[in-house]
């Protein structure tokens, strides 16, 4: 499975094409819309999420709610485009009238300045920010929804939630009380911040409120958990086959993510070997298993069968309503940075995006290993493989 | 540039082929040996490093100390192979005599168990561990040495050192005192632990000594810094073009690495937006620049021209001389895990490996953007591009 | 540059996303429409070309007639979809009403049978043929139009015409009379068959008329010529870097193409070495050059600077109105194959498609070698490189 | 499966690394040597083949005659290197003594001139020809030997022979008399030219003798046949998934190959549709099948289950002992081209190389579709899939 996204933030359409989805997978537009909605809602999101309700249209690759095996095109219309149709017009020559709202004072932390240099967009940094905008992550969530449908067919579940927003933190020790991700999902999805507990949710809302009052922004950390993956996806034989490495790239490739870790991650660097490794046990019913999951579901770049635990860190949104120092690229004079409409925090949405990216990488790894032409044939193979592993 | 490594830990040879290195690059075997030596030495390394001194031979792609543009083969002989020549013989049928030293009790934290399941290596998990061994990183350091030569041609320097080993930590506040990486290198390379200061070096050695006495192992964190990169490498236009994402994959793809972060990384998740973004300034001589580097040299997945700051976390070595619980794969009975000769810590070497991986990704990004057929033509283009960026 | 196409023959939309097009390239929808029109017209095309006039919409990546550097989405609406909206509905469950026009008797020569087996489309082979249809080549011509715009910026021209349709052949000896491709284009584009001369055009129309009367179909050969390519694109250093190999894959990857050759191709196999190689000359003004072009513009998988000569062979369209023997996949009884609306020949269109594919591969090779972030910077580099080559 | 080759013609070693070979495959060095020997022998080969007998060493990835799943390194030593050790020394600075045998007069038809321009090898075109030499195909034959072992496990056989050398042609009508490729192999491998019949063999030898007397060279055509491939390898869903396209690239990527065709190929362009398509039949025992194989085993870029028929055309070797016109790159004066030791024809070897390349692409397609971690698991899946297809 490979995919490509396209679209500018105020252009007419966001598009994604996914290749390599097995034929025969049941999927509806509602399956995707449900995930798009999760991305749009969250405490601290700004006006745009109220203007638009993202809904997907399947342009290709699906017939009668079943995938064809051919490339699938997902299309989300930008309702907001109406106000921008001249400024973003593809087929009209630039005039004084349709080049309003130029951006010439790059925002620190955004791609504006460097993107302008790289692509020679001196006349208007809008040519950068329309694409570098996190609007693009809409399509990654849409692709992730397809990935999650594939994974669901083989009993893999994936869920993301918020660890902290600024100084306000979820109580991670409560995680052990959930039997499965569905139970966890029902809790975290009911908090406006996607926190793990009510106390944290309230504290996070306070942090967001404060940041908003200060015309500031705030970041945080998100956690994604995946359960039910077959053992032995990814490989140690070559470094670029390691599945955790692929997930790391996918997470850091999300707008604003500045780091990723697995299992205990950075905290484990202060511990000793015998505190960290997950000991090995065997049981006639389930075969080999572990008692702990300190390594976050990976050994040697391969899935161990334990839950996959991925943490990402999200920097604050760089657009500040009380802007930071910048320089006008025309005059080279110091100016405060431009302002584009923006949110106070995107951490709550980031949990959904990170979940999507993990789902995409897991689905890819499954489709790579097994015959992925048809979903039923794939399921048959996965079942046989699981039985083989159980009997090892 | 792309590369492939091959080789088993006790096999006869470690090999790497690198494609896409420009012609005309001056390089000698000594350039590579110098880096191999850095990887081998370090407090806490075990016996193997004393048995062997890794030296490279150029089998292809180099003539009269200049690259030809054709694939370069690097070869490091495993001196230790002599004791293993029958056990690892490629062309002899397995007999009772040459299958001694079987591994049947997988070590928690290593690839042994999962690798055995995936590749059906039930008869001997040695078939897994010979390749999953960190011995393979020798070749990544060798490839990194070539990458560093390319980067040096355009004034890019890369250096890695140790942040902490277990609870013993370098004093990162001293970093500001170094004008360039060469000054830093002269300090950290003279500590046996690759720490940043003498106090930390002593404390780290104590931690290692303690772990060794306890038949335990210990992990840590390493930091890589790269200076002098041109602005605008990587891109925001598609998620898989982001250079920080590629580096994340490269770092997590190193044996034992469980996380990666850029700039302030995870710590920044508790701060507000105006504390983190790097404000933009302009100067007639150098053009645009920043006063800080909180984002670690990346905006929108692109190099900003500031120093690149990459941190990785290394888990302790999983082979314990007082082994953890495991299960014999033949009998399904509980047993302590097998023991393979091993070190107490690999963090000091890990700094060199992480440095190599960052160098490789940076070199790739430069070769991708510019005409990389010939090193001199590339240098001409980089110089022109830099002048263009300066005049933006 | 990489691209992906999507779309079913009777689905609502044909889509392509192109990544890696430099910013700053001037392009309009009319530039693409012009090429789409060339594909649609041609003697022997059937009814569909009369129903529809393909026109493109730029959904992403272009603003004010200039590319942004971000992914470009091309969209061609299938006018014909109106009659198929229920049968091809993505979001409705299959019912007896919307599964009319099932295909159960696979057409020899098409993907129907094998595609049905591979993707388990037993219930309706329409699930195969909607995608395997040559309708998809619309988008490759659209992508090719973008590639041709890139190439035009550096003085590369590409043109395709028809060598023969069945037994009726163009007189290739007339080729020498054209000073450049523009002159050639004005001739061949004015023949309804895209032949090289009026006699051949008339003969080809007779062949098509005969085939149509016989409810038969007919194939042929097409020739693509490209002029003005810089020297040294592609490489000999690794087999998969050879540019002629990449073009071979692109040509054979077009629906119905069964072979490809360069320069004298298969005919040269009966000649001796001194009859075939292109001797080398030098001139103070233009540098090195050749007197002949028997090798079709390639040595060692690299462009020599001479015209690129690519020939492809197109099998007849497999859908026959007097169908061949087949078997019903439900009953396993012998039946004549199903009929889908189809043309008598596609060779005239195939010349345009082959031209597009050659343009795509040439553009890719240029974008790979030079800095392709911005079209003007790329042009500067190409000019410098050409001067270097001239002075060799 | 992916592979990389490295090595200069007079360098010390030829190397290939293959990744992605399933674990548990039985293979010996003799399996590879047998194929290397086939490449070396043939009427018209020159002196080098007498100097050297190529033999492979497995440096990595194989233990006790079984693959480990880790990368396999194949090494063939260049015996001829002894005479060139100074001229090709990697680690010595160039001196007047070790830069003898410079090449400054590029040979038309070889990569010399263009390669020199591209890589700035003005000082000595030997830097080009050492890699562009067909010596490199040794390693592709070695990799092909591994591919053939994989294919043999699932009952796929591949064989190449010579169609014509210059005007002397095999009688292709005799092909129908062979029940399988093994029978065919026993005939063609016993002719020194690899012709299909004794008359052709004699005629080909005459052609070669004549060319040699004339200090000339001669080309030809080779045919590769593959039997037993599962149905449905490759795909129509995206152009770059077409397996025939991949084979086309692999064939044209062989040194001196200027074209490729499938089944009837170029000859079919003069026929009508009903003469070419392979009608579809069904039988309770074997399921669906065809009565003819005009399309060479491919429909829609997928294997049909019929024999795969690939034809390639090989240009004469460009090095002539009565050299063609060239220009000295130092003086820009006209000179006859340089001479390197060379053969009169390579067509007989080319059949073996083309066979190897087809085997590699077929093996890749099988490994891509099925779980390729372990050869036995793969065989189980292929068997199940074949049964499914039979029952379609």
């Amino acid at each position: 499975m490979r995919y490509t996204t396209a679209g500018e933030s105020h252009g007419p359409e966001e598009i994604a094409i996914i290749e390599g989805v097995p034929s025969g997978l049941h999927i509806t537009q509602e399956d995707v819309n449900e995930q798009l909605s999760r991305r749009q809602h969250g405490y601290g999101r700004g006006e745009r999420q109220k203007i638009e309700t993202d809904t997907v249209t399947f342009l290709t690759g699906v017939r009668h709610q079943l995938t064809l095996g051919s490339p699938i095109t997902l299309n989300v219309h930008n309702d907001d485009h109406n106000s921008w149709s001249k400024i973003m017009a593809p087929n009209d020559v630039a005039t004084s009238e349709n080049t309003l709202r130029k951006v010439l004072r790059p925002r620190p932390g955004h791609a504006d300045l460097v993107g302008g240099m790289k692509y020679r967009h001196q006349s208007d940094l809008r040519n950068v920010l329309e694409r570098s905008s996190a609007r693009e992550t809409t399509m990654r969530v849409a692709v992730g929804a397809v990935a999650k449908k594939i994974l669901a067919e083989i009993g893999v579940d994936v869920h993301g939630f918020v660890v902290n927003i600024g100084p306000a933190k979820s109580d991670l020790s409560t995680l052990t009380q959930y039997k499965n991700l569905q139970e966890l999902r029902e809790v975290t999805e009911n908090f406006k911040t996607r926190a793990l507990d009510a106390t944290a949710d309230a504290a996070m809302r306070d942090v967001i409120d404060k940041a908003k009052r200060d015309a500031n922004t705030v970041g945080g950390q998100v956690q994604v958990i995946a359960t039910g993956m077959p053992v032995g996806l990814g490989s140690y034989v070559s470094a670029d086959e390691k599945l955790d490495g692929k997930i790391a790239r996918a997470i850091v490739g999300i707008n604003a993510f500045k780091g990723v870790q697995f299992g205990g991650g950075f905290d484990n660097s202060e511990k000793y070997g015998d505190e960290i490794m997950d000991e090995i046990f065997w049981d006639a019913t389930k075969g080999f298993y572990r008692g702990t999951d300190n390594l976050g579901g990976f050994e040697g770049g391969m899935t161990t069968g334990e839950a996959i635990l991925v943490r990402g860190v999200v920097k604050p949104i760089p657009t500040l309503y009380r802007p930071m120092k910048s320089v006008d690229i025309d005059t080279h004079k110091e100016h405060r940075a431009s302002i584009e409409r923006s949110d106070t925090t995107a951490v709550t949405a980031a949990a959904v995006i990170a979940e999507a990216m993990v789902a995409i990488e897991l689905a890819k790894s499954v489709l790579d290993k097994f015959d992925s032409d048809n979903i039923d044939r794939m399921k048959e193979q996965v079942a046989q493989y699981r039985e083989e592993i159980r009997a090892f």
Side-chain angles (χ1 to χ4, degrees), chain A residues 300-348:
Chain A
M302 298 176 293
T303 51
T304 61
E306 302 305 309
I308 292 170
L309 308 175
V310 184
R311 181 87 64 90
V313 57
V314 188
K315 76 178 183 200
I317 292 173
T319 299
L320 301 182
Y321 282 95
R322 203 171 58 193
M324 297 178 77
K325 286 185 189 167
S326 184
V327 173
D328 188 291
I329 62 169
D330 269 0
T331 63
H332 287 169
K333 301 288 183 208
E334 184 176 321
H335 273 283
R336 292 284 155 173
S338 298
I339 298 176
E340 282 278 301
R341 190 186 52 205
S342 190
D343 303 338
T344 304
T345 190
V347 180
T348 301

Side-chain angles (χ1 to χ4, degrees), chain A residues 13-142:
Chain A
E13 312 293 342
E14 300 290 331
I15 303 283
I17 299 181
I18 320 176
E19 295 176 276
V21 175
S23 65
L25 177 72
H26 183 264
I27 192 162
T28 66
Q29 292 171 179
E30 290 64 41
D31 291 324
V32 179
N33 291 340
E34 187 183 334
Q35 299 304 320
L36 295 180
S37 171
R38 289 180 63 215
R39 176 186 165 280
Q40 287 198 287
H41 297 118
Y43 201 81
R45 304 305 304 273
E47 293 305 307
R48 181 159 190 175
Q49 314 308 330
K50 296 174 189 159
I51 298 173
E52 295 180 292
T53 300
D54 289 335
T55 55
V56 79
T57 305
F58 294 161
L59 298 184
T60 73
V62 182
R63 184 184 175 209
H64 299 156
Q65 301 189 358
L66 294 171
T67 55
L68 291 171
S70 46
I72 297 171
T73 307
L74 307 175
N75 178 200
V76 174
H77 183 68
N78 286 328
D79 292 336
D80 200 17
H81 176 64
N82 293 339
S83 328
W84 293 79
S85 58
K86 286 191 178 166
I87 290 175
M88 295 304 294
N91 221 35
D92 300 339
V93 163
T95 62
S96 58
E97 190 190 3
N98 66 14
T99 51
L100 302 174
R101 302 182 73 162
K102 280 194 182 187
V103 177
L104 298 173
R105 294 160 189 179
R107 296 163 299 166
H110 267 304
D112 304 357
L113 176 61
V114 175
M117 290 167 158
K118 178 182 177 75
Y119 292 107
R120 287 194 181 175
H121 284 317
Q122 299 103 317
S123 62
D124 189 356
L125 298 178
R126 176 163 305 285
N127 289 338
V128 175
L129 63 91
E130 284 289 331
R131 179 63 187 163
S132 63
S133 160
R135 177 66 184 157
E136 184 267 344
T137 59
T138 308
M139 298 321 293
R140 289 197 253 170
V141 170

Side-chain angles (χ1 to χ4, degrees), chain A residues 72-309:
Chain A
I72 297 171
T73 307
L74 307 175
N75 178 200
V76 174
H77 183 68
N78 286 328
D79 292 336
D80 200 17
H81 176 64
N82 293 339
S83 328
W84 293 79
S85 58
K86 286 191 178 166
I87 290 175
M88 295 304 294
N91 221 35
D92 300 339
V93 163
T95 62
S96 58
E97 190 190 3
N98 66 14
T99 51
L100 302 174
R101 302 182 73 162
K102 280 194 182 187
V103 177
L104 298 173
R105 294 160 189 179
R107 296 163 299 166
H110 267 304
D112 304 357
L113 176 61
V114 175
M117 290 167 158
K118 178 182 177 75
Y119 292 107
R120 287 194 181 175
H121 284 317
Q122 299 103 317
S123 62
D124 189 356
L125 298 178
R126 176 163 305 285
N127 289 338
V128 175
L129 63 91
E130 284 289 331
R131 179 63 187 163
S132 63
S133 160
R135 177 66 184 157
E136 184 267 344
T137 59
T138 308
M139 298 321 293
R140 289 197 253 170
V141 170
V143 174
V146 177
K148 288 176 71 171
K149 290 291 286 186
I150 295 168
L151 293 172
E153 293 280 339
I154 57 164
V156 177
D157 198 2
V158 191
H159 182 61
F161 61 89
V162 172
V163 172
N164 73 290
I165 293 182
K169 299 183 188 180
S170 288
D171 178 4
L172 296 177
S173 72
T174 65
L175 267 176
T176 52
Q177 72 193 54
Y178 302 105
K179 281 206 308 289
N180 56 46
L181 290 186
Q182 183 53 27
E183 286 189 4
L184 175 64
R185 179 180 289 119
E186 282 162 17
V187 171
T188 61
E189 289 296 306
N190 282 318
F191 293 124
K192 285 189 172 172
T193 58
R194 208 160 262 129
L196 200 48
D197 55 279
T199 312
D201 178 57
M204 288 178 191
R205 282 187 277 120
D206 286 347
V207 166
I208 295 167
D209 290 344
K210 175 186 183 313
K212 190 166 189 177
R213 281 194 308 273
D214 296 346
N216 213 335
T217 57
V218 62
Q221 295 183 32
V222 300
Q223 174 88 30
V224 179
I225 305 180
T227 58
M229 275 292 283
V231 173
L233 278 290
S235 179
Y236 61 87
V237 295
S238 293
D240 59 359
E241 296 298 318
K242 296 196 175 189
L243 181 52
D244 46 5
K246 293 177 184 180
I247 292 173
R249 178 177 180 174
I251 293 294
V252 172
I254 305 172
N255 306 41
F257 276 68
K258 298 299 287 184
V260 63
Q261 64 180 29
F262 297 84
F266 280 89
D267 290 344
N268 278 352
S269 85
E270 302 192 16
K271 296 187 183 159
Y272 291 88
D274 61 4
E275 300 172 278
I276 291 174
M277 306 308 148
D278 300 307
E279 294 187 311
I280 294 171
F281 302 96
W282 184 85
D283 176 282
T285 311
K286 54 184 175 182
F288 289 90
Y289 69 97
R290 315 300 172 97
T292 55
D293 189 17
N294 297 316
L295 296 180
F298 285 100
E299 281 175 343
M302 298 176 293
T303 51
T304 61
E306 302 305 309
I308 292 170
L309 308 175

